[in-house]
Amino acid sequence: MSSSHKRRLLIRAGIAGGIAAALGLSLWALPLLLPYGAQERLDALEFSKVFLDREGEELQVLPLSDGLRRIFMPLDRMPKDLTDIVIAAEDRRFWFHPGVDPVGIVRAAWQNRSAGKTVSGASTISMQLARLLRAGERNGAGPMQAKLREAWEAMQLERRLGKKGALELYLNLVPFGRNVEGFPAAARAFFGKPLAELTVSDLLVLAVVPRSPSFYDPHANPANNRAAVLRLGLEKLGADSLDAAYDRILDPGRSGIWPFRTPHFIRWLAGQPSIAASDGRLPLRTGIEGELQAYLENLLSRTVDDARAKRVSNAAGLFLRPDDMTIAAWVGSVDFNDVLSQGQVDGVTMLRQPGSTLKPFLYSMALEQGFTASSVLPDVPTDFGGAEVYTPANFNDQFNGPVRLRQALASSLNVPAVYLLRRIGVGPFTDRLLAAGFKSLESQKGKLGLGLALGNAEVSLLELTQAYGLFLHDGNLVQVKPLLAPDAAAPDAAAPDAAASDAAAPAGAPAQAPAAATRKVIDPQAAALVRDILTRHPDRVLTFGRDGNNRLQFDGAMKTGTSNQFNNIWAVGFTTDLLGGVWLGNFGGQTVVGTADSGYPAGVMRKMLEVFSSHRPFPDLAGFRQVAVCALSGMTATDACAHQVMEWLRPGTESGPCDWHVKSGTGIRIRYPQEYQAWLGRYRYRPSDGYKDGDLAILRPLDGAVFYMDPGLPLEKQQLAIEATGTGTAELSIDGISVFKGAFPFKTWFQLRAGNHRMLLSNGTETIANEFEVR
């Protein structure tokens, strides 16, 4: 053969090889380069969201919108026996073809021609996957066109997902009937077990079901299922008896296959935007602690049973681990399925009046504005003016006269709280609560009055409990954390424990605020002092006595609250490592029978803190020093003060020596400020040495007060009390008419008459004015 001829042959061979290579490259590249028709469905594919507790146990496996459950499991976590069985049954050359099996096509054509009908479709696993992704579509294509499209899209899927990705998706999507798809969900529906716990025979029984879920259902048609397993020769892969596998099959009507724990929490969590947007491929591991959750559920149920006679029909509770504010327990009602008591209402997110539980946030503002824990506040009958006269009373209808701020907060006295709110302002306090995370107040802003000091706004238990974290995080707001760190573990296997911190916090130290997602709301020293006040039990005795559920035998804080009709009773409490809130009442808003006091939720709180916290003490207050103060005046104690207490004060905030107690030849005399004249008279006390000089002030009515005449009472019985303090000789006029002349302090009466009225009070050198309205 001549060299020129050889050269021509080589050229032709090169051209042919190039054409073949180009054709091969095109067949390899085109499935990837050309648009995939079901790409939108592939991208939008969702799986059941699997929620786990802290220990990795399932809380719930949520169905998709159509009630279908399919649980995603990565291929490398599926049993190796399963992939071997499925490939042997469905696509023996799966690992060697490009998505379409030419050998299978030839074999199927021969079998169909020999049988005179279609007995084999030659569909590969990837072709079946392509069909699953097109399920429900109607496009009018004939059988041949549909098969060609499946073949083309199978190649496209394998180019996009790879062999393992296509097999993984198929195993997670293949339908089984019983409203489940995929082997992980089918293992639960048919055997009541995680996929990892199935035997090889169990897997064999499942493997043939997708061919025709109703015909091969192993419970309804075990003979059909067995025949399919035997016909495929798959029983040779089994290590145990097929009979044992059929004995383990569950009745489709059996309940309890899917867990239904913490229903209110899961419903709230699933509605959070970031969770709702997830595709369900990863299990969601929460901070729910199984033992704590079960204990709280039982304790709330027993407490409601004890209180039912008072028309208390429901309860809710929320507990957090304050180190990172993870939700450890969430009970929205005592029985989710109790229709009569509206059990599906979530008491954790429901809005209700929180009573006195808002007071610590008010007192923290007062401490920031110059008040100290020893500042004296008036607990005396007071009319607070505003849109109308507001006259608060304490829980026990008693007034304690002068009380130190620490006592006022610890004993939850009402008049001092309203007095502080009038000084601070409703608007600024509302803004503080909004900054503290009470988002529900946005719609109520501008509609709230002085009653806000006593909790007449509506907030949720979730907001309230989260906000109390301010007193554990140096005044920083840390959002509640429902999920632990992302965990890629399959839901069939327990998720590993969360990694321990490299550096432990000092023993007894309050939880430290995480660096992210925090916002400074309260001055750190004010927050620490409020925490100290809520922690020390002896200061609560004015209202709560020396014993009872409010008393903790370890270092922990407790604050209770009730709404006006006692139909909402609350307790919030915390230790160094547990923070919680409890609500009792009824969802219908009915008033209770008798008085359902806060002892019920306080009892729940006390027990929870006893059982589930470490009882480590809080550290001493940083930046404070202890000073001996007079128990009555709150001023620096002298040797004339028979009763002294140690108080935490910041350097530079100490007051002068007590001038309420005066030594005399016969002993110690007490000189009260003038504003306590009426209170002393109410309880038939008299100052032993007159009154201290006072600033010129009209104590009541307050400026801007509005009063309403009662048409049912005789006019002469409708009089307004007027009280004033000052030094020197008093002269009071109303609407230009003199109504009183005499010594300070004084109390006089004004006959009510409709209209706007102006008062002038003078001490001879100074004059002040005040206005009020009578309607």
Side-chain angles (χ1 to χ4, degrees), residues 304-318:
V304 167
D305 286 342
D306 291 342
R308 282 191 189 279
K310 296 188 175 183
R311 205 180 284 157
V312 172
S313 61
N314 235 311
L318 175 69

Side-chain angles (χ1 to χ4, degrees), residues 367 370-377 403-407 529 533 627-636 645-649 653-655 660:
L367 292 170
F371 286 83
T372 71
S374 66
S375 295
V376 169
L377 305 174
V403 293
R404 288 172 285 113
L405 182 145
R406 176 181 289 275
Q407 294 173 294
L529 187 55
I533 292 172
V627 177
V629 301
C630 173
L632 179 63
S633 72
M635 303 172 75
T636 302
V645 294
M646 300 303 294
E647 185 56 84
W648 292 105
L649 297 174
T653 64
E654 303 91 339
S655 67
W660 291 28

Side-chain angles (χ1 to χ4, degrees), residues 378 382 419 422-423 673-677 692-703 721-732 740 743-748 759-771:
T382 306
Y419 169 83
R422 196 171 193 280
R423 292 276 301 266
Q674 295 180 18
E675 57 262 38
Y676 296 104
Q677 176 196 35
K692 293 174 55 181
D693 288 344
D695 295 332
L696 186 65
I698 299 172
L699 301 181
R700 53 190 302 201
L702 294 177
D703 191 31
I722 300 174
E723 296 180 50
T725 61
T727 303
T729 301
E731 183 171 355
L732 175 71
F740 178 84
F744 287 107
F746 71 83
K747 180 177 183 179
T748 189
M759 300 169 28
L760 293 177
L761 175 66
S762 174
N763 61 3
T765 58
E766 182 184 2
T767 301
I768 60 174
N770 195 338
E771 295 183 356

Side-chain angles (χ1 to χ4, degrees), residues 27-284:
L27 290 175
W28 180 86
L30 283 176
L32 182 62
L33 297 175
L34 294 179
Y36 170 49
Q39 186 66 49
E40 187 175 343
R41 286 198 174 194
L42 185 62
D43 294 339
L45 199 57
E46 286 187 282
F47 294 85
S48 294
K49 294 178 176 67
V50 179
F51 294 94
L52 310 175
D53 66 15
R54 181 178 286 272
E55 291 76 32
E57 299 295 326
E58 284 182 355
L59 296 172
Q60 287 191 44
V61 179
L62 293 188
L64 302 178
S65 57
D66 56 0
L68 179 75
R69 283 184 173 88
R70 53 174 176 243
I71 304 172
F72 183 82
M73 181 183 289
L75 184 64
D76 59 5
R77 292 183 180 272
M78 292 189 182
K80 178 64 165 56
D81 290 320
L82 173 64
T83 58
D84 291 343
I85 290 170
V86 170
I87 289 173
E90 301 295 332
D91 191 355
R92 295 178 184 272
R93 285 170 292 278
F94 173 76
W95 298 111
F96 307 104
H97 61 65
V100 178
D101 183 6
V103 176
I105 293 173
V106 173
R107 177 182 53 80
W110 176 259
Q111 290 176 339
N112 295 340
R113 181 176 180 180
S114 300
K117 61 181 180 180
T118 301
V119 295
S120 178
S123 290
T124 63
I125 286 175
S126 298
M127 290 172 67
Q128 294 182 54
L129 175 60
R131 185 163 60 249
L132 291 174
L133 292 172
R134 291 283 192 177
E137 283 190 3
R138 294 182 179 180
N139 53 28
M144 182 58 68
Q145 289 176 298
K147 187 65 68 176
L148 289 173
R149 188 178 67 179
E150 285 176 14
W152 171 246
E153 291 188 350
M155 291 189 290
Q156 288 185 299
L157 283 170
E158 289 205 6
R159 289 297 297 119
R160 283 165 169 76
L161 305 176
K163 283 286 185 183
K164 290 184 177 180
L167 179 60
E168 176 184 82
L169 204 53
Y170 172 80
L171 294 174
N172 281 291
L173 289 181
V174 63
F176 282 85
R178 298 198 183 190
N179 225 14
V180 296
E181 289 181 355
F183 280 88
R188 298 285 295 279
F190 285 84
F191 290 97
K193 296 179 180 180
L195 184 59
E197 295 180 15
L198 299 192
T199 69
V200 174
S201 291
D202 295 337
L203 296 174
L204 288 170
V205 169
L206 282 184
V208 299
V209 173
R211 292 176 166 234
S212 178
S214 59
F215 187 77
Y216 292 119
D217 185 290
H219 182 271
N221 298 301
N224 296 347
N225 185 282
R226 180 191 295 273
V229 172
L230 297 176
R231 184 167 61 251
L232 293 170
L234 297 178
E235 80 285 354
K236 297 176 182 177
L237 298 174
D240 59 347
S241 167
L242 280 176
D243 291 331
Y246 291 116
D247 289 340
R248 289 189 287 268
I249 291 293
L250 301 179
D251 187 318
R254 174 176 170 177
S255 61
I257 296 174
W258 305 105
F260 191 67
R261 298 166 58 197
T262 62
H264 292 99
F265 170 60
I266 296 301
R267 186 167 62 184
W268 170 81
L269 183 54
Q272 299 304 299
S274 60
I275 304 300
S278 67
D279 61 10
R281 290 175 187 258
L282 291 179
L284 300 166

